[in-house]
Amino acid sequence: MKPFDIVIVGGGGAGLYAAMEAMKTNPALNIAVLSKVYPNRSHTSAAQGGANAALGNKAKDDTVEMHIFDTIKGSDYLADQDAVDVLCSEAPKIIRELENIGTPWSRMEDNTIAQRPFGGAGRPRCCYCADKTGHTILQTLYEQCLKKGVLFFNEYFALNLSLNGSRSRGLIAMNMKTGKVEAFTAKTVIFATGGYAKMYWNRSSNAAGNTGDGQAIAYRAGIPMKDMEFVQFHPTGLRKSGLLVTEGARGEGGYLVNKDGERFMSRYAPEKMELGPRDLVSRSIETEILQGRGFDSPAGKYVHLDLRHLGADLILSRLPQIREMSLNFEGVDPINEPIPVRPTAHYSMGGIDTDNFGRTVMDGVYAAGECACVSVHGANRLGGNSLLDILVFGRIAGHTAAEEAGKFQPGMIPESEVKECMDELRSKMQRSGHYERYGALREELGQTLAINVGIYRESSLLKKGIEDISELQERFTKVRVTDTSDVFNTNLMQVLELKNMLDLAETVAVGALAREESRGSHTRIDFPQRDDEAWHKHTLATLVDRKLIAGEKPVTMGRYELQERTY
Ligand SMILES: Cc1cc2nc3c(=O)[nH]c(=O)nc-3n(C[C@H](O)[C@H](O)[C@H](O)COP(=O)(O)OP(=O)(O)OC[C@H]3O[C@@H](n4cnc5c(N)ncnc54)[C@H](O)[C@@H]3O)c2cc1C
């Protein structure tokens, strides 16, 4: 294969926007997108609620500046303010660009793009397509990429960056259909592999594939991870599966109710009520449950999300997917009954450290979307700001890589490296004697994270979590891939994903133990206050000689001074 100008790993919203923009920047470039699932099955397609932009359609007095302030406040002042400026200023343009290429936004009566209220936002500014926003955006982008001639390598599993000293010369990936390892020599590589919240197993709203592969590949290549301790728990996951009930359900007016029939958010966010930011609403639900005001069931404790007062018409027109999911996964029709919900691990604020142009510390390697940390979400992301992030920074990373690709002349990836990779995969199938199984390790990882590195954190719990992760890493060295076939070996892929999750879980737990304060989604029972003097900074985790080395980076401030965060 001749060398690529750009190889993009990931066919979600970030990867596809990057591909489309790179093609637009320079149509002569040779651009490939690799994805372990068909692009339109990426997790972006599960996004229900919408994307924020201060269009001022619903609230005429909404402004970009208000969006900027809400985002910085929502981040508990950990977001870099110059990056937030870019995110929010580009938002109206990107929503209209998507409209121009065919995204069917829901409309208001005057035919302008409809906007709904979302948590932590001062004005209704979330643009949506019913409750299938991500799905429609992804379809639109995929069509455009096909039309523009982007090459797709679907069902390819990225394994490693190929390094020449400290420089990247491209990517090594496995063709899932044949089990063969292949080299993708490339001048530039963009990681757009999505988040890592699936490491929380069935306490997660994420797709099965959100296992942080891109972050782990970059981490093993020596690229720093930033703010990994910040994992967002979404307040309303379905009780049994952790599947998401969009914030749009509360945006449309849904109530959260405890077993005493009380709208308990009046205790925690008297003004914003159910539309407080996610970290606060999740903690409130968890507190209600811990203090005995939740419902009990064999599938765990929960509270109610009540939509009945919204009426059948609204539920059927604006929240059809929520109704379907409640029926299918809980046996509950929200038109007639409240939905049982509990917080669920939902989003990774942390990720590959990048500048505002998507560049990492390694020449020719970029990252965008949920796998990157620019950082625009800081310690807590606002609902509707992630779709926006993947579009805005996906586009920027695609543009930057297209402009810079000409600067790099990577040597070809040597055949020996491909063979080494293949041998390593094979060795996992040929282990003899005592061996470990994927299933047990995977479940134990999820459990220790949910218990010890969950919503409420504390030194002894986090230490236990770190110990468990280290033990699981040790046991992983003896894992055996029991399926030895070449074609769609899902057991092998699960094992590879598990390795990635174990590497990243360590960075999450170690970061959480180090950060002795409470900020945004990171709540330490033993350090309940935000400590700006000691901790108003980003944490970095870099792998050096196979050891996690902790570092830090200042937060870029701007017009907004640190303030207490109340709602
Ligand atoms: C249920 C749910 C609802 C959400 N709702 C909203 C919402 O309403 N509004 C909002 O703003 N945000 C929402 N979010 C968050 C938002 O959808 C995600 O953060 C965003 O879509 C991530 O996009 P992405 O392009 O970065 O990654 P993804 O869409 O996750 O795509 C990742 C891509 O990487 C590929 N990939 C991963 N690993 C590999 C590998 N090893 N080799 C090859 N390819 C690989 C995958 O195949 C996939 O194509 C929601 C998230 C969830 C889980």
Side-chain angles (χ1 to χ4, degrees), residues 10-14 35-37 42-44 46-50 156 158 192-194 206 213 244 346-347 369-370 381 384-387 390:
S35 179
K36 65 179 177 180
V37 300
S42 304
H43 191 63
T44 297
Q48 303 159 348
Y156 271 73
T193 51
N206 279 199
D213 300 356
L244 189 78
H346 180 59
Y347 184 81
E370 194 173 337
R381 167 177 79 88
N385 265 358
S386 173
L387 282 182
I390 66 174

PDB file of all heavy atoms in Angstrom, residues 10-14 35-37 42-44 46-50 156 158 192-194 206 213 244 346-347 369-370 381 384-387 390, ligand 1:
ATOM      1  N   GLY A  10     -11.033   5.909  13.677  1.00  0.00           N
ATOM      2  CA  GLY A  10     -12.335   6.202  14.262  1.00  0.00           C
ATOM      3  C   GLY A  10     -13.278   6.811  13.241  1.00  0.00           C
ATOM      4  O   GLY A  10     -12.935   7.781  12.561  1.00  0.00           O
ATOM      5  N   GLY A  11     -14.459   6.211  13.118  1.00  0.00           N
ATOM      6  CA  GLY A  11     -15.461   6.696  12.160  1.00  0.00           C
ATOM      7  C   GLY A  11     -16.677   7.260  12.865  1.00  0.00           C
ATOM      8  O   GLY A  11     -17.788   7.207  12.338  1.00  0.00           O
ATOM      9  N   GLY A  12     -16.485   7.816  14.085  1.00  0.00           N
ATOM     10  CA  GLY A  12     -17.572   8.530  14.757  1.00  0.00           C
ATOM     11  C   GLY A  12     -17.637   9.959  14.238  1.00  0.00           C
ATOM     12  O   GLY A  12     -17.022  10.299  13.217  1.00  0.00           O
ATOM     13  N   GLY A  13     -18.361  10.798  14.971  1.00  0.00           N
ATOM     14  CA  GLY A  13     -18.526  12.188  14.520  1.00  0.00           C
ATOM     15  C   GLY A  13     -17.202  12.906  14.358  1.00  0.00           C
ATOM     16  O   GLY A  13     -16.991  13.639  13.379  1.00  0.00           O
ATOM     17  N   ALA A  14     -16.264  12.697  15.302  1.00  0.00           N
ATOM     18  CA  ALA A  14     -14.985  13.407  15.240  1.00  0.00           C
ATOM     19  C   ALA A  14     -14.177  12.941  14.027  1.00  0.00           C
ATOM     20  O   ALA A  14     -13.648  13.754  13.262  1.00  0.00           O
ATOM     21  CB  ALA A  14     -14.194  13.174  16.522  1.00  0.00           C
ATOM     22  N   SER A  35     -11.985   1.910  11.100  1.00  0.00           N
ATOM     23  CA  SER A  35     -12.941   1.833  12.203  1.00  0.00           C
ATOM     24  C   SER A  35     -13.212   0.378  12.576  1.00  0.00           C
ATOM     25  O   SER A  35     -13.367  -0.468  11.698  1.00  0.00           O
ATOM     26  CB  SER A  35     -14.237   2.527  11.797  1.00  0.00           C
ATOM     27  OG  SER A  35     -15.171   2.429  12.839  1.00  0.00           O
ATOM     28  N   LYS A  36     -13.273   0.109  13.868  1.00  0.00           N
ATOM     29  CA  LYS A  36     -13.499  -1.284  14.264  1.00  0.00           C
ATOM     30  C   LYS A  36     -14.968  -1.670  14.128  1.00  0.00           C
ATOM     31  O   LYS A  36     -15.297  -2.847  14.100  1.00  0.00           O
ATOM     32  CB  LYS A  36     -12.960  -1.572  15.670  1.00  0.00           C
ATOM     33  CG  LYS A  36     -13.623  -0.867  16.816  1.00  0.00           C
ATOM     34  CD  LYS A  36     -12.973  -1.288  18.143  1.00  0.00           C
ATOM     35  CE  LYS A  36     -13.571  -0.529  19.304  1.00  0.00           C
ATOM     36  NZ  LYS A  36     -12.984  -0.897  20.594  1.00  0.00           N
ATOM     37  N   VAL A  37     -15.861  -0.675  14.054  1.00  0.00           N
ATOM     38  CA  VAL A  37     -17.254  -0.980  13.694  1.00  0.00           C
ATOM     39  C   VAL A  37     -17.593  -0.189  12.429  1.00  0.00           C
ATOM     40  O   VAL A  37     -16.863   0.731  12.064  1.00  0.00           O
ATOM     41  CB  VAL A  37     -18.261  -0.598  14.808  1.00  0.00           C
ATOM     42  CG1 VAL A  37     -17.968  -1.348  16.088  1.00  0.00           C
ATOM     43  CG2 VAL A  37     -18.280   0.906  15.059  1.00  0.00           C
ATOM     44  N   SER A  42     -20.937   3.819  15.166  1.00  0.00           N
ATOM     45  CA  SER A  42     -20.100   4.392  16.227  1.00  0.00           C
ATOM     46  C   SER A  42     -20.997   4.956  17.328  1.00  0.00           C
ATOM     47  O   SER A  42     -22.168   5.247  17.088  1.00  0.00           O
ATOM     48  CB  SER A  42     -19.251   5.530  15.658  1.00  0.00           C
ATOM     49  OG  SER A  42     -18.487   5.057  14.583  1.00  0.00           O
ATOM     50  N   HIS A  43     -20.404   5.180  18.504  1.00  0.00           N
ATOM     51  CA  HIS A  43     -21.237   5.605  19.628  1.00  0.00           C
ATOM     52  C   HIS A  43     -21.940   6.943  19.384  1.00  0.00           C
ATOM     53  O   HIS A  43     -22.996   7.210  19.955  1.00  0.00           O
ATOM     54  CB  HIS A  43     -20.428   5.653  20.924  1.00  0.00           C
ATOM     55  CG  HIS A  43     -21.300   5.829  22.130  1.00  0.00           C
ATOM     56  ND1 HIS A  43     -22.241   4.895  22.509  1.00  0.00           N
ATOM     57  CD2 HIS A  43     -21.435   6.852  23.016  1.00  0.00           C
ATOM     58  CE1 HIS A  43     -22.896   5.330  23.571  1.00  0.00           C
ATOM     59  NE2 HIS A  43     -22.424   6.517  23.904  1.00  0.00           N
ATOM     60  N   THR A  44     -21.361   7.776  18.537  1.00  0.00           N
ATOM     61  CA  THR A  44     -22.030   9.039  18.205  1.00  0.00           C
ATOM     62  C   THR A  44     -23.495   8.795  17.834  1.00  0.00           C
ATOM     63  O   THR A  44     -24.367   9.609  18.133  1.00  0.00           O
ATOM     64  CB  THR A  44     -21.298   9.745  17.034  1.00  0.00           C
ATOM     65  OG1 THR A  44     -19.976  10.070  17.460  1.00  0.00           O
ATOM     66  CG2 THR A  44     -22.005  11.020  16.607  1.00  0.00           C
ATOM     67  N   ALA A  46     -25.551   7.003  19.124  1.00  0.00           N
ATOM     68  CA  ALA A  46     -26.420   6.818  20.288  1.00  0.00           C
ATOM     69  C   ALA A  46     -26.795   8.146  20.939  1.00  0.00           C
ATOM     70  O   ALA A  46     -27.645   8.195  21.824  1.00  0.00           O
ATOM     71  CB  ALA A  46     -25.726   5.925  21.315  1.00  0.00           C
ATOM     72  N   ALA A  47     -26.139   9.238  20.516  1.00  0.00           N
ATOM     73  CA  ALA A  47     -26.408  10.538  21.157  1.00  0.00           C
ATOM     74  C   ALA A  47     -27.833  10.962  20.847  1.00  0.00           C
ATOM     75  O   ALA A  47     -28.232  11.030  19.699  1.00  0.00           O
ATOM     76  CB  ALA A  47     -25.406  11.580  20.682  1.00  0.00           C
ATOM     77  N   GLN A  48     -28.557  11.229  21.903  1.00  0.00           N
ATOM     78  CA  GLN A  48     -29.982  11.478  21.738  1.00  0.00           C
ATOM     79  C   GLN A  48     -30.292  12.970  21.796  1.00  0.00           C
ATOM     80  O   GLN A  48     -30.943  13.538  20.923  1.00  0.00           O
ATOM     81  CB  GLN A  48     -30.735  10.751  22.869  1.00  0.00           C
ATOM     82  CG  GLN A  48     -30.455   9.259  22.896  1.00  0.00           C
ATOM     83  CD  GLN A  48     -30.758   8.614  24.258  1.00  0.00           C
ATOM     84  OE1 GLN A  48     -30.964   9.293  25.264  1.00  0.00           O
ATOM     85  NE2 GLN A  48     -30.789   7.293  24.283  1.00  0.00           N
ATOM     86  N   GLY A  49     -29.783  13.603  22.856  1.00  0.00           N
ATOM     87  CA  GLY A  49     -30.283  14.925  23.248  1.00  0.00           C
ATOM     88  C   GLY A  49     -30.028  16.042  22.265  1.00  0.00           C
ATOM     89  O   GLY A  49     -30.949  16.764  21.881  1.00  0.00           O
ATOM     90  N   GLY A  50     -28.775  16.235  21.822  1.00  0.00           N
ATOM     91  CA  GLY A  50     -28.514  17.311  20.881  1.00  0.00           C
ATOM     92  C   GLY A  50     -27.170  17.969  21.067  1.00  0.00           C
ATOM     93  O   GLY A  50     -26.336  17.490  21.840  1.00  0.00           O
ATOM     94  N   TYR A 156     -11.485  -2.759  10.894  1.00  0.00           N
ATOM     95  CA  TYR A 156     -10.045  -2.826  11.148  1.00  0.00           C
ATOM     96  C   TYR A 156      -9.823  -2.396  12.593  1.00  0.00           C
ATOM     97  O   TYR A 156     -10.384  -1.390  13.022  1.00  0.00           O
ATOM     98  CB  TYR A 156      -9.266  -1.892  10.218  1.00  0.00           C
ATOM     99  CG  TYR A 156      -8.880  -2.545   8.916  1.00  0.00           C
ATOM    100  CD1 TYR A 156      -9.831  -2.801   7.940  1.00  0.00           C
ATOM    101  CD2 TYR A 156      -7.553  -2.915   8.666  1.00  0.00           C
ATOM    102  CE1 TYR A 156      -9.489  -3.408   6.750  1.00  0.00           C
ATOM    103  CE2 TYR A 156      -7.198  -3.525   7.474  1.00  0.00           C
ATOM    104  CZ  TYR A 156      -8.165  -3.770   6.523  1.00  0.00           C
ATOM    105  OH  TYR A 156      -7.820  -4.373   5.342  1.00  0.00           O
ATOM    106  N   ALA A 158      -7.263  -1.007  15.272  1.00  0.00           N
ATOM    107  CA  ALA A 158      -5.943  -0.381  15.428  1.00  0.00           C
ATOM    108  C   ALA A 158      -5.226  -0.983  16.629  1.00  0.00           C
ATOM    109  O   ALA A 158      -5.819  -1.136  17.707  1.00  0.00           O
ATOM    110  CB  ALA A 158      -6.099   1.116  15.621  1.00  0.00           C
ATOM    111  N   ALA A 192      -9.420   9.366  16.778  1.00  0.00           N
ATOM    112  CA  ALA A 192     -10.793   9.831  17.017  1.00  0.00           C
ATOM    113  C   ALA A 192     -11.594   8.619  17.488  1.00  0.00           C
ATOM    114  O   ALA A 192     -12.623   8.278  16.918  1.00  0.00           O
ATOM    115  CB  ALA A 192     -11.371  10.427  15.745  1.00  0.00           C
ATOM    116  N   THR A 193     -11.066   7.959  18.529  1.00  0.00           N
ATOM    117  CA  THR A 193     -11.591   6.638  18.908  1.00  0.00           C
ATOM    118  C   THR A 193     -12.626   6.666  20.032  1.00  0.00           C
ATOM    119  O   THR A 193     -12.993   5.611  20.542  1.00  0.00           O
ATOM    120  CB  THR A 193     -10.424   5.710  19.326  1.00  0.00           C
ATOM    121  OG1 THR A 193      -9.641   6.407  20.292  1.00  0.00           O
ATOM    122  CG2 THR A 193      -9.563   5.330  18.162  1.00  0.00           C
ATOM    123  N   GLY A 194     -13.092   7.867  20.420  1.00  0.00           N
ATOM    124  CA  GLY A 194     -14.160   7.926  21.409  1.00  0.00           C
ATOM    125  C   GLY A 194     -13.673   7.711  22.838  1.00  0.00           C
ATOM    126  O   GLY A 194     -12.470   7.710  23.111  1.00  0.00           O
ATOM    127  N   ASN A 206     -22.268   3.551  27.782  1.00  0.00           N
ATOM    128  CA  ASN A 206     -21.492   3.551  26.536  1.00  0.00           C
ATOM    129  C   ASN A 206     -21.656   2.286  25.705  1.00  0.00           C
ATOM    130  O   ASN A 206     -22.010   1.224  26.228  1.00  0.00           O
ATOM    131  CB  ASN A 206     -20.004   3.732  26.852  1.00  0.00           C
ATOM    132  CG  ASN A 206     -19.621   5.177  27.107  1.00  0.00           C
ATOM    133  OD1 ASN A 206     -18.463   5.521  27.030  1.00  0.00           O
ATOM    134  ND2 ASN A 206     -20.593   6.027  27.405  1.00  0.00           N
ATOM    135  N   ASP A 213      -9.363   2.682  23.187  1.00  0.00           N
ATOM    136  CA  ASP A 213      -8.239   2.104  22.433  1.00  0.00           C
ATOM    137  C   ASP A 213      -7.230   3.161  21.970  1.00  0.00           C
ATOM    138  O   ASP A 213      -6.018   2.977  22.114  1.00  0.00           O
ATOM    139  CB  ASP A 213      -8.744   1.341  21.199  1.00  0.00           C
ATOM    140  CG  ASP A 213      -9.676   0.196  21.548  1.00  0.00           C
ATOM    141  OD1 ASP A 213      -9.872  -0.064  22.752  1.00  0.00           O
ATOM    142  OD2 ASP A 213     -10.216  -0.434  20.628  1.00  0.00           O
ATOM    143  N   LEU A 244     -28.753   4.815  28.512  1.00  0.00           N
ATOM    144  CA  LEU A 244     -29.023   6.220  28.817  1.00  0.00           C
ATOM    145  C   LEU A 244     -30.453   6.659  28.537  1.00  0.00           C
ATOM    146  O   LEU A 244     -31.011   6.377  27.486  1.00  0.00           O
ATOM    147  CB  LEU A 244     -28.096   7.086  27.966  1.00  0.00           C
ATOM    148  CG  LEU A 244     -28.141   8.549  28.370  1.00  0.00           C
ATOM    149  CD1 LEU A 244     -27.326   8.769  29.617  1.00  0.00           C
ATOM    150  CD2 LEU A 244     -27.666   9.427  27.246  1.00  0.00           C
ATOM    151  N   HIS A 346     -20.659   7.696  31.917  1.00  0.00           N
ATOM    152  CA  HIS A 346     -21.190   8.163  30.643  1.00  0.00           C
ATOM    153  C   HIS A 346     -20.150   8.798  29.736  1.00  0.00           C
ATOM    154  O   HIS A 346     -20.202   8.668  28.523  1.00  0.00           O
ATOM    155  CB  HIS A 346     -22.281   9.180  30.966  1.00  0.00           C
ATOM    156  CG  HIS A 346     -22.943   9.775  29.777  1.00  0.00           C
ATOM    157  ND1 HIS A 346     -23.605   9.017  28.850  1.00  0.00           N
ATOM    158  CD2 HIS A 346     -23.067  11.059  29.354  1.00  0.00           C
ATOM    159  CE1 HIS A 346     -24.110   9.796  27.915  1.00  0.00           C
ATOM    160  NE2 HIS A 346     -23.783  11.032  28.187  1.00  0.00           N
ATOM    161  N   TYR A 347     -19.196   9.489  30.304  1.00  0.00           N
ATOM    162  CA  TYR A 347     -18.346  10.306  29.441  1.00  0.00           C
ATOM    163  C   TYR A 347     -16.967  10.465  30.057  1.00  0.00           C
ATOM    164  O   TYR A 347     -16.824  10.590  31.272  1.00  0.00           O
ATOM    165  CB  TYR A 347     -18.994  11.690  29.271  1.00  0.00           C
ATOM    166  CG  TYR A 347     -18.223  12.569  28.319  1.00  0.00           C
ATOM    167  CD1 TYR A 347     -18.380  12.427  26.946  1.00  0.00           C
ATOM    168  CD2 TYR A 347     -17.321  13.509  28.799  1.00  0.00           C
ATOM    169  CE1 TYR A 347     -17.651  13.209  26.070  1.00  0.00           C
ATOM    170  CE2 TYR A 347     -16.590  14.295  27.922  1.00  0.00           C
ATOM    171  CZ  TYR A 347     -16.765  14.146  26.560  1.00  0.00           C
ATOM    172  OH  TYR A 347     -16.042  14.908  25.686  1.00  0.00           O
ATOM    173  N   GLY A 369     -12.207  14.738  19.446  1.00  0.00           N
ATOM    174  CA  GLY A 369     -13.407  14.048  19.936  1.00  0.00           C
ATOM    175  C   GLY A 369     -13.222  13.595  21.362  1.00  0.00           C
ATOM    176  O   GLY A 369     -12.349  14.092  22.085  1.00  0.00           O
ATOM    177  N   GLU A 370     -14.024  12.609  21.745  1.00  0.00           N
ATOM    178  CA  GLU A 370     -14.020  12.215  23.156  1.00  0.00           C
ATOM    179  C   GLU A 370     -12.686  11.624  23.588  1.00  0.00           C
ATOM    180  O   GLU A 370     -12.345  11.645  24.763  1.00  0.00           O
ATOM    181  CB  GLU A 370     -15.173  11.230  23.443  1.00  0.00           C
ATOM    182  CG  GLU A 370     -15.395  11.074  24.930  1.00  0.00           C
ATOM    183  CD  GLU A 370     -16.623  10.245  25.292  1.00  0.00           C
ATOM    184  OE1 GLU A 370     -17.548  10.146  24.462  1.00  0.00           O
ATOM    185  OE2 GLU A 370     -16.643   9.703  26.407  1.00  0.00           O
ATOM    186  N   ARG A 381     -18.459  17.946  31.981  1.00  0.00           N
ATOM    187  CA  ARG A 381     -18.976  18.383  30.677  1.00  0.00           C
ATOM    188  C   ARG A 381     -20.457  18.704  30.783  1.00  0.00           C
ATOM    189  O   ARG A 381     -21.205  17.995  31.440  1.00  0.00           O
ATOM    190  CB  ARG A 381     -18.798  17.257  29.661  1.00  0.00           C
ATOM    191  CG  ARG A 381     -19.572  17.482  28.392  1.00  0.00           C
ATOM    192  CD  ARG A 381     -19.320  16.402  27.390  1.00  0.00           C
ATOM    193  NE  ARG A 381     -20.049  15.173  27.628  1.00  0.00           N
ATOM    194  CZ  ARG A 381     -21.280  14.927  27.169  1.00  0.00           C
ATOM    195  NH1 ARG A 381     -21.928  15.836  26.481  1.00  0.00           N
ATOM    196  NH2 ARG A 381     -21.859  13.771  27.408  1.00  0.00           N
ATOM    197  N   GLY A 384     -24.831  18.217  25.716  1.00  0.00           N
ATOM    198  CA  GLY A 384     -24.908  18.939  24.443  1.00  0.00           C
ATOM    199  C   GLY A 384     -23.594  19.557  24.006  1.00  0.00           C
ATOM    200  O   GLY A 384     -23.460  20.034  22.879  1.00  0.00           O
ATOM    201  N   ASN A 385     -22.595  19.544  24.886  1.00  0.00           N
ATOM    202  CA  ASN A 385     -21.305  20.123  24.508  1.00  0.00           C
ATOM    203  C   ASN A 385     -20.347  19.101  23.917  1.00  0.00           C
ATOM    204  O   ASN A 385     -19.298  19.467  23.401  1.00  0.00           O
ATOM    205  CB  ASN A 385     -20.631  20.783  25.721  1.00  0.00           C
ATOM    206  CG  ASN A 385     -20.921  22.280  25.782  1.00  0.00           C
ATOM    207  OD1 ASN A 385     -21.591  22.824  24.904  1.00  0.00           O
ATOM    208  ND2 ASN A 385     -20.433  22.942  26.808  1.00  0.00           N
ATOM    209  N   SER A 386     -20.688  17.804  23.986  1.00  0.00           N
ATOM    210  CA  SER A 386     -19.739  16.837  23.434  1.00  0.00           C
ATOM    211  C   SER A 386     -19.933  16.660  21.939  1.00  0.00           C
ATOM    212  O   SER A 386     -18.960  16.630  21.176  1.00  0.00           O
ATOM    213  CB  SER A 386     -19.863  15.491  24.120  1.00  0.00           C
ATOM    214  OG  SER A 386     -19.032  14.587  23.435  1.00  0.00           O
ATOM    215  N   LEU A 387     -21.188  16.550  21.515  1.00  0.00           N
ATOM    216  CA  LEU A 387     -21.402  16.502  20.061  1.00  0.00           C
ATOM    217  C   LEU A 387     -20.759  17.743  19.443  1.00  0.00           C
ATOM    218  O   LEU A 387     -20.090  17.674  18.416  1.00  0.00           O
ATOM    219  CB  LEU A 387     -22.902  16.459  19.736  1.00  0.00           C
ATOM    220  CG  LEU A 387     -23.598  15.107  19.914  1.00  0.00           C
ATOM    221  CD1 LEU A 387     -25.061  15.204  19.500  1.00  0.00           C
ATOM    222  CD2 LEU A 387     -22.910  14.001  19.106  1.00  0.00           C
ATOM    223  N   ILE A 390     -16.904  17.274  19.303  1.00  0.00           N
ATOM    224  CA  ILE A 390     -16.379  16.360  18.277  1.00  0.00           C
ATOM    225  C   ILE A 390     -16.477  16.992  16.888  1.00  0.00           C
ATOM    226  O   ILE A 390     -15.625  16.765  16.034  1.00  0.00           O
ATOM    227  CB  ILE A 390     -17.069  14.973  18.299  1.00  0.00           C
ATOM    228  CG1 ILE A 390     -18.536  15.044  17.904  1.00  0.00           C
ATOM    229  CG2 ILE A 390     -16.934  14.316  19.652  1.00  0.00           C
ATOM    230  CD1 ILE A 390     -19.213  13.680  17.766  1.00  0.00           C
TER     231      ILE A 390
HETATM  232  C1  LIG B   1     -25.884   7.101  25.067  1.00  0.00           C
HETATM  233  C2  LIG B   1     -25.142   8.387  24.840  1.00  0.00           C
HETATM  234  C3  LIG B   1     -25.838   9.542  24.554  1.00  0.00           C
HETATM  235  C4  LIG B   1     -25.165  10.737  24.334  1.00  0.00           C
HETATM  236  N1  LIG B   1     -25.883  11.870  24.061  1.00  0.00           N
HETATM  237  C5  LIG B   1     -25.226  13.025  23.813  1.00  0.00           C
HETATM  238  C6  LIG B   1     -25.947  14.206  23.469  1.00  0.00           C
HETATM  239  O1  LIG B   1     -27.161  14.213  23.352  1.00  0.00           O
HETATM  240  N2  LIG B   1     -25.250  15.342  23.251  1.00  0.00           N
HETATM  241  C7  LIG B   1     -23.889  15.401  23.357  1.00  0.00           C
HETATM  242  O2  LIG B   1     -23.316  16.450  23.141  1.00  0.00           O
HETATM  243  N3  LIG B   1     -23.178  14.280  23.650  1.00  0.00           N
HETATM  244  C8  LIG B   1     -23.823  13.103  23.891  1.00  0.00           C
HETATM  245  N4  LIG B   1     -23.094  11.978  24.194  1.00  0.00           N
HETATM  246  C9  LIG B   1     -21.641  12.016  24.092  1.00  0.00           C
HETATM  247  C10 LIG B   1     -21.232  11.979  22.639  1.00  0.00           C
HETATM  248  O3  LIG B   1     -22.170  11.267  21.895  1.00  0.00           O
HETATM  249  C11 LIG B   1     -19.860  11.329  22.463  1.00  0.00           C
HETATM  250  O4  LIG B   1     -18.937  11.942  23.310  1.00  0.00           O
HETATM  251  C12 LIG B   1     -19.381  11.488  21.033  1.00  0.00           C
HETATM  252  O5  LIG B   1     -20.358  11.049  20.125  1.00  0.00           O
HETATM  253  C13 LIG B   1     -18.074  10.768  20.776  1.00  0.00           C
HETATM  254  O6  LIG B   1     -17.765  10.879  19.416  1.00  0.00           O
HETATM  255  P1  LIG B   1     -16.360  10.419  18.850  1.00  0.00           P
HETATM  256  O7  LIG B   1     -16.390  10.669  17.400  1.00  0.00           O
HETATM  257  O8  LIG B   1     -15.298  11.051  19.660  1.00  0.00           O
HETATM  258  O9  LIG B   1     -16.304   8.851  19.152  1.00  0.00           O
HETATM  259  P2  LIG B   1     -17.322   7.653  18.799  1.00  0.00           P
HETATM  260  O10 LIG B   1     -18.570   8.107  18.174  1.00  0.00           O
HETATM  261  O11 LIG B   1     -17.403   6.838  20.035  1.00  0.00           O
HETATM  262  O12 LIG B   1     -16.536   6.848  17.691  1.00  0.00           O
HETATM  263  C14 LIG B   1     -15.350   6.134  17.975  1.00  0.00           C
HETATM  264  C15 LIG B   1     -14.861   5.486  16.711  1.00  0.00           C
HETATM  265  O13 LIG B   1     -13.589   4.938  16.943  1.00  0.00           O
HETATM  266  C16 LIG B   1     -13.525   3.650  16.395  1.00  0.00           C
HETATM  267  N5  LIG B   1     -12.530   2.885  17.153  1.00  0.00           N
HETATM  268  C17 LIG B   1     -12.385   2.782  18.487  1.00  0.00           C
HETATM  269  N6  LIG B   1     -11.362   1.988  18.793  1.00  0.00           N
HETATM  270  C18 LIG B   1     -10.842   1.570  17.625  1.00  0.00           C
HETATM  271  C19 LIG B   1      -9.773   0.706  17.275  1.00  0.00           C
HETATM  272  N7  LIG B   1      -9.007   0.077  18.179  1.00  0.00           N
HETATM  273  N8  LIG B   1      -9.532   0.494  15.955  1.00  0.00           N
HETATM  274  C20 LIG B   1     -10.301   1.083  14.999  1.00  0.00           C
HETATM  275  N9  LIG B   1     -11.318   1.896  15.287  1.00  0.00           N
HETATM  276  C21 LIG B   1     -11.581   2.137  16.584  1.00  0.00           C
HETATM  277  C22 LIG B   1     -14.929   3.100  16.500  1.00  0.00           C
HETATM  278  O14 LIG B   1     -15.141   2.091  15.557  1.00  0.00           O
HETATM  279  C23 LIG B   1     -15.741   4.356  16.203  1.00  0.00           C
HETATM  280  O15 LIG B   1     -15.908   4.500  14.815  1.00  0.00           O
HETATM  281  C24 LIG B   1     -23.758  10.772  24.413  1.00  0.00           C
HETATM  282  C25 LIG B   1     -23.056   9.606  24.681  1.00  0.00           C
HETATM  283  C26 LIG B   1     -23.738   8.432  24.925  1.00  0.00           C
HETATM  284  C27 LIG B   1     -22.939   7.213  25.284  1.00  0.00           C
END
